[in-house]
Amino acid sequence: MRSRPPSTAPWRLPRRTVRPSTSAAPPTPQASWPPSPGARSRRPDACRVPLDPPAPVATVAPMTRIAFYAPLKPPSHPIPSGDREIARNLMKALALAGFDPFVASEAIAYQKRPSAELFADRRARCEAEVDRLLAVWQAQPAAKPDLWMTYHPYCKAPDWIGPPVCRALAIPYVTVEACRTRQDTDADWADGRAVVQAAVRQAAVNFCLKPADRAYLESFLPDASSIVALKPFIDLADLPDAVDVEGPCAAGEGPLILSVGMMRPGAKIDSYRLLAEALAGLVDRPWRLVIIGDGPGRNEVEAMFGFAGDRARFTGAVPHEQVLGWMKKADLFAWPGMREAFGVAYLEAQAIGLPVAAFATAGVPVVVGHDESGLLAPEFDIVAYRDNLARLLASPQERARLGAGGRAKVARDHGLDAAAATLEGALLPLVGARTGVAVAP
């Protein structure tokens, strides 16, 4: 795996050491990151940093080309989201591991609500995309991928492209975070779920980011040999610089609590309701609260915290660098996390040194270590959650201990280097024989 020099200075990625190969095809140029028109995204640094020239002693095997696809939304999508950020970071981790990832298609398979007509339309468009890609690679054989990776296929966004392309090209198929939704009924999404399950069965490797996804895959796979655990991660070196936030935090005195979450019906509103209920029992203690987020449920959320008066401040939606600015200003991060996949905000808060107060629900325990980087209450146990908040509010020493633990945990387990090592270990055996690449001992 490529090693990352300190992020405080400009750096270049060294070429991964490989043994000479006499049968490998000539190296092909790295593919560009193709943003959608008007998108403000840029190609990740790890995907565009120039490589050091190879030693002039023998022909060096070409880098393994990985076709990357996200059926929910492409990495260049203009609307920020956790899914988009994970997709971008996956491509950076692949590049750091020594591979050559490129976005193979920006076709969107996602549908928000069950609709047989929309399902058929999405499928037809994706099937046409298969024909287009195969025609391109037939005309340009040197540009063919050595492996296909699909991020986050699930019943609302199935992958109709990767599996047939892999069969046609005889290359390995890989998924990351294949999962299922609990929304609506099983019948509503049965067709999409069948597509995803067939793709997962075809996959040589299925990376799972949380235990619930592994359990789902184990429920229909003949065995678990294709499942590989991949811990959620962020690119610590590429976080935007936090900006100083202006204006008063909130009225009153005491530790500053920060919450960040969309204000939409369902799990997010449930989390706000639990936080409000917990803090309502702590009105006799000094604390201030800043809530970052917006959405159709904002009026409902503001009403929930009416008891706090001017001790609570609602900022609305703010740019990412301002979110990080608030994290640096806060004393603790409180977000219940109901049905949270794992939550990128938890990782960012811990990286900055904020202790976390959450529930041990869904994927939260994957990224927050109880009594290591935060305090986790049993799911729906509002008394335990309130007690954890009280414990953090009362003790600067406890907040400092857990904050330091969070920084260490993210750096050790949830950074780009850790993810790159996992990806390299699982993917190299699949592509080494095809490309002639072998890691030097």
Side-chain angles (χ1 to χ4, degrees):
M1 185 184 72
R2 295 166 170 170
S3 60
R4 181 196 290 271
S7 60
T8 54
W11 54 277
R12 301 174 70 203
L13 292 176
R15 181 181 291 275
R16 179 162 53 91
T17 303
V18 295
R19 296 194 180 107
S21 171
T22 58
S23 61
T28 58
Q30 276 195 301
S32 62
W33 179 281
S36 299
R40 293 177 296 172
S41 62
R42 59 177 177 82
R43 188 179 180 190
D45 289 345
C47 295
R48 63 183 177 91
V49 174
L51 299 175
D52 292 336
V57 294
T59 300
V60 178
M63 295 177 67
T64 299
R65 287 173 56 77
I66 295 182
F68 186 91
Y69 175 53
L72 176 60
K73 64 173 64 170
S76 58
H77 198 281
I79 299 177
S81 70
D83 292 306
R84 187 192 71 171
E85 203 61 29
I86 294 169
R88 292 178 174 187
N89 285 337
L90 270 170
M91 293 192 71
K92 288 192 279 188
L94 287 168
L96 186 62
F99 302 111
D100 178 16
F102 65 97
V103 175
S105 174
E106 293 191 337
I108 293 177
Y110 175 73
Q111 59 182 94
K112 187 174 183 179
R113 296 284 181 260
S115 166
E117 181 180 356
L118 184 57
F119 184 85
D121 176 75
R122 292 281 195 264
R123 180 177 58 194
R125 289 174 181 267
C126 289
E127 289 172 350
E129 184 73 346
V130 172
D131 294 338
R132 184 190 71 83
L133 289 172
L134 292 177
V136 168
W137 288 324
Q138 183 178 13
Q140 304 174 39
K144 289 181 181 179
D146 301 296
L147 179 145
W148 182 287
M149 173 180 284
T150 294
Y151 166 63
H152 199 23
Y154 74 119
C155 58
K156 291 186 174 185
D159 181 10
W160 283 291
I161 302 177
V165 165
C166 290
R167 290 192 295 268
L169 299 181
I171 62 174
Y173 178 69
V174 171
T175 74
V176 180
E177 201 182 359
C179 61
R180 65 164 294 162
T181 180
R182 295 292 178 181
Q183 296 176 0
D184 305 302
T185 68
D186 285 347
D188 287 326
W189 299 105
D191 290 341
R193 186 167 294 120
V195 174
V196 174
Q197 291 185 0
V200 168
R201 291 189 185 97
Q202 179 180 329
V205 170
N206 292 290
F207 290 103
C208 286
L209 277 69
K210 57 184 185 295
D213 293 347
R214 181 185 183 97
Y216 171 55
L217 268 55
E218 288 178 339
S219 72
F220 63 86
L221 284 174
D223 61 69
S225 60
S226 68
I227 300 176
V228 175
L230 175 65
K231 293 181 180 179
F233 64 97
I234 57 176
D235 183 2
L236 297 170
D238 200 39
L239 289 177
D241 293 332
V243 299
D244 292 333
V245 289
E246 299 178 354
C249 296
E253 299 179 348
L256 176 62
I257 304 169
L258 178 67
S259 291
V260 180
M262 294 288 290
M263 298 177 180
R264 60 173 182 249
K268 302 296 185 184
I269 290 294
D270 290 344
S271 284
Y272 278 116
R273 185 174 294 109
L274 289 165
L275 177 62
E277 186 177 347
L279 289 175
L282 298 173
V283 288
D284 58 334
R285 312 229 180 171
W287 52 262
R288 298 165 296 152
L289 173 67
V290 167
I291 293 178
I292 298 176
D294 211 337
R298 178 163 179 172
N299 289 339
E300 182 180 358
V301 172
E302 290 189 3
M304 292 176 191
F305 292 88
F307 68 89
D310 57 5
R311 296 170 72 177
R313 173 180 173 181
F314 293 84
T315 68
V318 301
H320 192 189
E321 56 269 20
Q322 288 188 30
V323 175
L324 299 179
W326 280 112
M327 285 182 175
K328 286 194 171 183
K329 199 167 188 174
D331 296 294
L332 65 113
F333 185 79
W335 180 247
M338 302 312 298
R339 300 191 292 282
E340 197 81 55
F342 47 81
V344 172
Y346 289 126
L347 292 176
E348 293 180 346
Q350 291 173 105
I352 285 175
L354 277 184
V356 173
F359 283 93
T361 177
V364 176
V366 176
V367 294
V368 180
H370 178 65
D371 207 33
E372 176 190 9
S373 61
L375 299 177
L376 300 178
E379 191 172 30
F380 297 116
D381 189 338
I382 194 67
V383 174
Y385 188 56
R386 183 182 295 127
D387 289 345
N388 286 344
L389 285 171
R391 176 177 163 186
L392 291 173
L393 291 170
S395 174
Q397 295 79 17
E398 185 75 340
R399 295 197 299 270
R401 179 182 73 84
L402 294 173
R407 282 193 297 269
K409 175 178 171 58
V410 172
R412 180 186 67 243
D413 297 334
H414 303 287
L416 210 61
D417 293 322
T422 299
L423 292 168
E424 181 182 37
L427 299 183
L428 268 187
L430 302 181
V431 298
R434 291 179 52 82
T435 61
V437 173
V439 178

